[in-house]
């Protein structure tokens, strides 16, 4: 009799367990979605029809906890000083890696570059992912004489003097020179001096650029996700002038930092973009004799400024204002557009008045974006209620379990009855 009771208990348990297995709900929760991306680039350079890129940093963080950080000192035309880090737990760091920039001929003879370096870090700590990376090239120099020699113009500095280059300057000074000649002043010496100055300038370093870093940072915190792209500024010294005090640049152009930021508030599910575009200042050499009000120029975002107009040294600086965008996935993006500098446009131009030569620098570009959606947790009571009203597909898996239990009772009961019969 005890055997029958035990088997009956087992059968009941099996039946109940089978029924519970049949109606247990699948998880109805939707996990939180997070995406953060940022990027910065220190310099895009175009010279002799070729494009070069230096100082690049990017970072990506998602709620899948697989952050990726990448950076490089040189991007185009080859990858130099590159680093990359990704991880699913802990911290992965690709320490500072440097290399000498690789340039195709004849750019290698025209441009003098410092080392190109980068670092990358990715981490996942306490369920929070983050990245940090930076890339940079330390310096850039360009010789005007080498630039002219590399152009497809026969003997620019030899058989052909600088007449084509000085002509726009002399045209601009024509009224003054004519008045001086009418007053009995010998202007030939002035013309010779001007030609000699330009010749000296174009035989020395045309550009001396000190560059900052491009940085990417994406950080997840308990309450928010923050994506930041930054491109530090640059100082550009344009053509030295020999004075009694030494060589003084004809112009010093200082480009400030740009920064793009995008933040996602995990509590309110609100994404907010912002940007800070680079400011530019220009200081012209005192040797030019300009009044103080004209020798210091400040350029705000959205403005364009041309200096030394009408001469082979004409240079134009354009500053973009930046923008914010709404993304298709509900996220936002902030862009701090860079500063464009078209320098020495008369050098190597297609004609003496074309102003389509020189060097083009694109500096301080940064961007950041975030997107997200809060997690959804469905109460268990609602899930169970939904399960009981849903049509069943795939049969009733608890019925076989109940059948097995009943069969066990029958078999064991039959054995017990046989045993009693034998005893009786």
């Amino acid at each position: 009799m005890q055997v029958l009771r035990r088997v009956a208990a087992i059968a009941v348990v099996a039946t109940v367990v089978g029924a519970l297995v049949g109606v247990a709900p699948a998880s109805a929760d939707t996990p939180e979605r997070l995406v953060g991306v940022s990027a910065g680039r220190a310099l895009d350079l175009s010279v002799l029809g070729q494009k070069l890129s230096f100082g690049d940093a990017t970072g990506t963080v998602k709620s899948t906890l697989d952050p990726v950080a990448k950076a490089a000192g040189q991007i185009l035309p080859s990858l130099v000083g590159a680093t990359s880090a990704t991880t699913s737990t802990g911290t992965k760091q690709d320490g500072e890696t440097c290399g000498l920039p690789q340039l195709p001929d004849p750019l290698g003879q025209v441009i003098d570059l410092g080392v190109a370096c980068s670092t990358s870090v990715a981490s996942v700590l306490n369920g929070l992912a983050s990245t940090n990376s930076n890339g940079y090239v330390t310096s850039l120099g360009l010789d005007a004489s080498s630039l002219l020699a590399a152009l497809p113009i026969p003997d620019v500095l030899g058989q052909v003097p600088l007449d084509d280059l000085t002509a726009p300057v002399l045209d601009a000074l024509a009224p003054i020179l004519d008045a001086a000649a009418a007053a009995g002043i010998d202007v030939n010496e002035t013309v010779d001096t001007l030609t000699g100055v330009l010749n000296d300038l174009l035989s020395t370093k045309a550009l001396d650029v000190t560059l900052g870093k491009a940085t990417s940072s994406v950080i997840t915190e308990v309450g928010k996700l923050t994506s930041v792209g930054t491109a530090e500024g640059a100082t550009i010294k344009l053509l030295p002038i020999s004075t009694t005090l030494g060589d003084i640049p004809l112009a010093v152009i200082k480009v400030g930092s740009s920064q793009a930021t995008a933040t996602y508030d995990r509590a309110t599910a609100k994404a907010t973009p912002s940007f800070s575009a680079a400011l530019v200042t220009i200081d012209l050499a005192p040797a030019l004799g300009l009044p103080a009000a004209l020798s210091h120029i400040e350029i705000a975002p959205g403005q364009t400024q041309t200096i030394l107009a009408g001469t082979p040294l004409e240079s134009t600086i354009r500053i973009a204002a930046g923008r914010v965008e709404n993304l298709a996935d509900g996220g936002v993006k902030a862009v701090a557009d860079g500063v464009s500098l078209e320098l020495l446009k008369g050098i190597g131009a297609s004609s003496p008045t074309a102003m389509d030569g020189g060097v083009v620098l694109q500096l301080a570009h940064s961007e950041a974006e975030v997107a997200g959606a809060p997690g959804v947790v469905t109460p268990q009571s609602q899930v169970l209620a939904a399960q009981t009203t849903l049509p069943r597909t795939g049969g009733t898996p608890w019925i076989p379990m109940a059948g097995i239990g009943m069969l066990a009772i029958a078999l064991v009961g039959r054995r017990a009855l046989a045993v009693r019969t034998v005893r009786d």
Side-chain angles (χ1 to χ4, degrees):
M1 193 55 135
Q2 291 181 351
V3 173
L4 284 175
R5 290 176 179 173
R6 290 177 181 174
V7 172
I10 294 173
V12 171
V13 171
T15 302
V16 173
V17 170
L20 291 177
V21 170
V23 301
S27 175
D29 296 347
T30 301
E32 181 185 31
R33 180 176 69 92
L34 292 175
V35 179
V37 180
S38 68
R41 175 164 292 175
L43 171 66
D44 279 327
L45 170 67
S46 297
V47 60
L48 298 180
Q50 298 194 53
K51 183 177 179 179
L52 312 172
S53 295
F54 304 95
D56 191 83
T58 61
T60 302
V61 165
K62 298 180 180 180
S63 46
T64 48
L65 299 183
D66 51 356
V68 178
K70 294 183 178 181
Q74 178 180 344
I75 318 302
L76 294 175
S78 57
L79 200 62
V80 177
T83 56
S84 178
T86 183
T87 185
S88 59
T89 182
T91 299
K92 175 68 178 298
Q93 178 172 350
D94 197 355
E96 187 171 60
T97 300
C98 299
L100 293 177
Q102 303 296 315
L103 303 178
D105 291 333
L107 293 183
Q109 302 172 358
V110 174
I111 301 173
D112 180 23
L113 289 166
V115 294
C117 304
S118 72
T119 62
S120 296
V121 181
S123 67
V124 177
L125 300 174
N126 299 321
L128 302 174
S130 65
T131 65
N132 187 278
S133 58
N134 65 74
Y136 63 94
V137 61
T138 53
S139 61
L140 181 150
L142 184 145
D143 292 331
S145 59
S146 298
L147 176 61
L148 288 171
L151 294 169
I153 303 175
D155 266 336
V156 172
L157 294 178
Q159 298 175 5
V160 181
L162 296 175
D163 292 346
D164 288 344
L165 296 176
T166 57
V169 181
L170 296 177
D171 290 343
L173 295 176
I176 299 175
L177 296 176
D178 290 343
I185 300 174
D186 184 5
V187 298
N188 290 327
E189 182 177 354
T190 301
V191 173
D192 291 342
T193 300
L194 177 60
T195 303
V197 168
L198 285 175
N199 190 22
D200 290 341
L201 289 174
L202 298 176
S203 298
T204 59
K205 182 177 286 189
L207 291 177
D208 185 3
V209 184
T210 302
L211 295 164
K213 296 180 180 180
T215 302
S216 165
S217 173
V218 185
I219 299 175
T220 309
E221 300 177 71
V222 174
K224 63 182 179 179
L225 171 67
T226 305
S227 178
V228 181
T230 303
E232 295 179 1
T235 300
I236 303 164
K237 297 179 180 179
L238 182 66
L239 291 168
I241 298 175
S242 296
T243 69
T244 56
L245 300 176
D247 291 343
I248 297 177
L250 182 66
V252 176
I253 303 171
K254 295 182 179 180
V255 179
S257 299
S258 74
Q259 180 171 292
T261 303
T263 303
Y264 175 77
D265 189 312
R266 301 176 70 180
T268 63
K270 182 179 180 180
T272 305
S274 64
F275 64 85
S276 175
L279 299 175
V280 176
T281 61
I282 304 171
D283 289 295
L284 300 175
L288 296 176
L290 295 173
L294 298 178
S295 61
H296 179 77
I297 304 169
E298 295 183 358
I299 313 175
Q303 295 183 349
T304 298
Q305 179 73 44
T306 297
I307 61 174
L308 308 174
T311 76
L313 312 180
E314 179 176 313
S315 299
T316 299
I317 297 94
R318 310 177 194 275
I319 308 179
R323 64 188 186 277
V324 297
E325 303 174 7
N326 293 318
L327 305 178
D329 62 357
V332 296
K333 182 176 183 178
V335 178
D337 285 319
V339 176
S340 172
L341 299 99
E342 302 168 17
L343 306 176
L344 313 176
K345 295 191 291 183
I347 299 179
S350 57
S351 72
T353 59
M355 296 299 164
D356 57 2
V359 179
V360 178
L361 304 179
Q362 298 280 350
L363 296 165
H365 176 86
S366 56
E367 56 187 67
E369 64 180 77
V370 292
V376 177
V377 179
T378 304
Q380 190 75 1
S381 58
Q382 294 183 16
V383 177
L384 288 172
Q387 286 285 348
T388 57
T389 58
L390 290 176
R392 183 178 299 280
T393 59
T396 51
W398 59 270
I399 291 179
M401 295 292 293
I404 293 173
M406 297 303 294
L407 181 60
I409 292 174
L411 290 176
V412 175
R414 184 177 179 182
R415 285 187 181 179
L417 183 59
V419 171
R420 288 187 60 183
T421 303
V422 172
R423 291 179 178 174
D424 294 341

